[in-house]
Amino acid sequence: MTLPRIPHIVAGARHDAHSTRTAPVYDPCTGEVAAYVPLADAVDIETVIANATAAAPAWGARSALDRARVLFRWRELCLSHADELAQLISREHGKVIADARGELQRGLEVVEFATGIPHLIKGEFSDNVARGIDMQSMRQPLGVTAAITPFNFPAMVPLWMLGPALACGNAVVLKPSERDPSTAVRLAELFHEAGGPPGVLNVLQGDAEAVNALCTDPRIQAVSFVGSTPIARHVYETSARHGKRVQAMGGAKNHLVVLPDADLDMTVESLMGAAYGSAGERCMAISVAVVVGDATADALVARLADRVRGLRVGASHVDGNDMGPLVTAVHRDRVMGYVAAGVTEGATLVVDGRTHPATQGAGFFLGGSLFDHVTAEMSIYREEIFGPVLCIVRVDFAAEALALCNAHQYGNGVAIFTRNGGAAREFAHRVQCGMVGINVPIPVPLAYYSFGGWKDSAFGDHNQHGMDGVRFYTRVKTVTTRWPVGADAASFTMPVLR
Ligand code: NAD
């Protein structure tokens, strides 16, 4: 049987790659290769960038209301295809269908926010800044922008970027993850079905070669990246060196601090969803619980252990499963390597996901693992595992928990569970992280706020979506106007207000 070859999207249509390099796309539930994705060569890259460059000016010249109407129709079409899109996401990524629907909804909320562009993009106006002179600022599109996305949210992260970039009047080259590239193709097709002009939203399938071209090509004005920290740093440095605007979101190690007065039921439920949902393959997953006091830690670990053992791990399309497989065998093996390292380093492995019955099949399954007595020197604490592994770190005082969060390399999300409003407020104020939850384990900001971490979790000045998205995808022009109603004499000094 010949396996499907996933296309690029160029000029509003499917486009067979020129490149003969390919990568396999797996069905992670069966472990079998389901399709091949082309890895763009110089010809493919040139075709896509040239098309986007040709389409950008006309799209940017349309009224903001006109662009908003296209986005409106696109959102409606995506919603009416939600089942198909969720299945596509789940089939290549491995997350359960309900989770795939959730990510689609969160992504479409950004498109919904972006339909407010006529209001969001309004400039400022000052009448009579000096005698007979008015001043106005306006936001204009950048031209062609690049969106480079990770495997773990094949719909939501592209939509974070596409909503504001397109609404602001830019053309986009979307380079999805080569591990689950099909959702991007369908999103782009639906954009064109909604009336999006050919060339405005393009999909370039590829790997490092495509990414490096997007970071260096002079026709690309801005690069938005989400992925792991080493690549985020590379994309940030390369794009900036080539004079581009760049936002590059990286990895994470999100802590959840449990104070002794926390509601334990709420904490257990929250930790289960936040650590093991989507098999831990979320940049906002909780991978460390810092528990204040041994009594609280003993009670928490005892309750978590039963729940982790009881996780329903199996095929993503089967209703009722909590967790599907990991995305690839390579990634599953990497996560298993961390579980082995934790044991070697001296942490207590309370539940070993490597022995879960689901691991016996052909898919890339792994059960949930739970470590207790993890310390800050261990690799399982320091490094991002990106799998279903939760580490419990025990401390004596709340101040130690805060110090741990602040000393960590990453600063994406963090949460504190407590009934003490003063303690929570103080923590939220002092913690060095971009997104903070108080009794909320995964504090992902809604579309009209902006998403972004601190420290090595993000490089660049603008967050994703919210008003930061509009700022990132536009540049400001300020126009000063005077009409001839009698010329003043020439002035040779710096203009000052009179
Ligand atoms: P990744 O860094 O491997 O890949 C991301 C993108 O970079 C892909 O499109 C990939 O093709 C490209 N890429 C990979 N290697 C490259 C190279 N050497 N040179 C140039 N480009 C390259 O990330 P991933 O494994 O797909 O995604 C998981 C990571 O993304 C995790 O670290 C996770 O924390 C992070 N993530 C962060 C956020 C956030 O907002 N902070 C959100 C989602 C995921």
Side-chain angles (χ1 to χ4, degrees), residues 412-494:
N412 214 38
V414 70
I416 184 165
F417 274 57
T418 176
R419 288 188 170 91
N420 182 332
R425 185 184 181 282
E426 181 73 2
F427 178 85
H429 196 70
R430 294 177 56 192
V431 74
Q432 304 281 309
C433 280
M435 295 166 281
V436 184
I438 296 175
N439 297 316
V440 173
I442 305 189
V444 175
L446 284 166
Y448 41 98
Y449 284 80
S450 74
F451 182 108
W454 288 14
K455 300 188 277 187
D456 281 359
S457 292
F459 307 94
D461 301 323
H462 290 289
N463 280 353
Q464 299 282 345
H465 60 73
M467 276 313 290
D468 256 19
V470 178
R471 290 184 198 107
F472 182 75
Y473 286 112
T474 52
R475 54 184 136 230
V476 174
K477 182 181 282 177
T478 308
V479 180
T480 308
T481 308
R482 176 173 64 175
W483 296 103
V485 287
D488 292 338
S491 168
F492 298 96
T493 57
M494 184 69 187

Side-chain angles (χ1 to χ4, degrees), residues 149-152 175 178-179 225-228 250-251 283 384 386 451:
T149 55
F151 82 85
N152 68 319
K175 208 301 284 168
E178 58 275 45
R179 282 179 268 179
F225 173 90
V226 174
S228 60
C283 64
E384 183 181 42
F386 220 57
F451 182 108

